[in-house]
Amino acid sequence: MPTTPDERVEVLDVDGRVVGVVSRAEMRRERLRHRAVFIAVLDATPRLLVHRRSADKDLWPSRWDIAAGGVVAAGESWADAAARELEEELGIRSELRHLGGGRHEDDDVKVVAEVFLARHDGPVHFVDGEVAEARWVDPLGLEELLASEVVCPDSVAIVRPFLKVAGFG
């Protein structure tokens, strides 16, 4: 299900409790705190799948990202959102392992997130047009990507601490 501006999302208070439901467009426009999921994809090597977001994304278009993921729809479970996002963005169906959660706030976004791990050796398919390209990186390749490219800050802040626990690096 590709995202739409009228998609319904839950607004959270500072403690992460749901305090309302608004459209995705309103959430973005007002920079409201919301739920999101991130899925780190590792192959058997292990290498991390990183991708460049489509130029059409409503947040951080054309930036590199270290995890698949996105906004959790109103009423959707964390695990269901993670499975949906992974399949929509990368065409991957995989067992998901929950790694933990985190928060990120900056001038663009306020997010409360849960992080999952998927094991997948390829191929990937850009199903819904949200991903422009993808590649596998080892730990050194990840450091080079972070030093040389503009990367989504929320996934770096929230997902990166879990990569070592997941067996990467």
Side-chain angles (χ1 to χ4, degrees):
M1 160 180 78
T3 60
T4 61
D6 58 343
E7 173 186 354
R8 308 302 286 170
V9 298
E10 296 167 346
V11 177
L12 308 177
D13 67 13
V14 294
D15 296 317
R17 291 184 300 255
V18 177
V19 294
V21 176
V22 299
S23 69
R24 181 186 182 99
E26 182 178 352
M27 176 269 292
R28 288 286 188 232
R29 185 175 57 252
E30 302 296 324
R31 197 176 70 92
L32 300 173
R33 186 176 292 107
H34 62 281
R35 297 188 305 143
V37 291
F38 295 101
I39 309 94
V41 180
L42 295 179
D43 71 4
T45 306
R47 294 176 302 169
L48 177 69
L49 184 66
V50 297
H51 68 274
R52 190 171 54 81
R53 295 161 62 93
S54 161
D56 297 330
K57 293 292 288 182
D58 65 351
L59 180 67
W60 301 320
S62 300
R63 287 192 186 189
W64 282 90
D65 208 339
I66 68 168
V71 175
V72 178
E76 187 175 31
S77 75
W78 297 103
D80 287 348
R84 174 183 53 78
E85 289 287 350
L86 186 61
E87 187 169 2
E88 283 178 3
E89 290 183 7
L90 300 171
I92 298 172
R93 286 188 182 194
S94 175
E95 184 174 318
L96 296 173
R97 176 178 150 209
H98 182 250
L99 297 177
R103 294 169 178 252
H104 178 79
E105 293 189 18
D106 62 24
D107 290 341
D108 297 315
V109 69
K110 291 181 183 180
V111 64
V112 175
E114 293 296 324
V115 180
F116 294 84
L117 171 67
R119 296 282 182 174
H120 183 75
D121 291 318
V124 296
H125 305 282
F126 310 143
V127 177
D128 67 0
E130 292 186 42
V131 174
E133 64 179 295
R135 67 179 188 237
W136 296 98
V137 296
D138 61 17
L140 180 57
L142 176 59
E143 295 308 313
E144 290 170 356
L145 177 85
L146 295 175
S148 65
E149 300 288 348
V150 180
V151 181
C152 297
D154 57 350
S155 62
V156 172
I158 296 170
V159 177
R160 193 172 183 201
F162 291 106
L163 292 177
K164 192 169 223 105
V165 172
F168 181 78

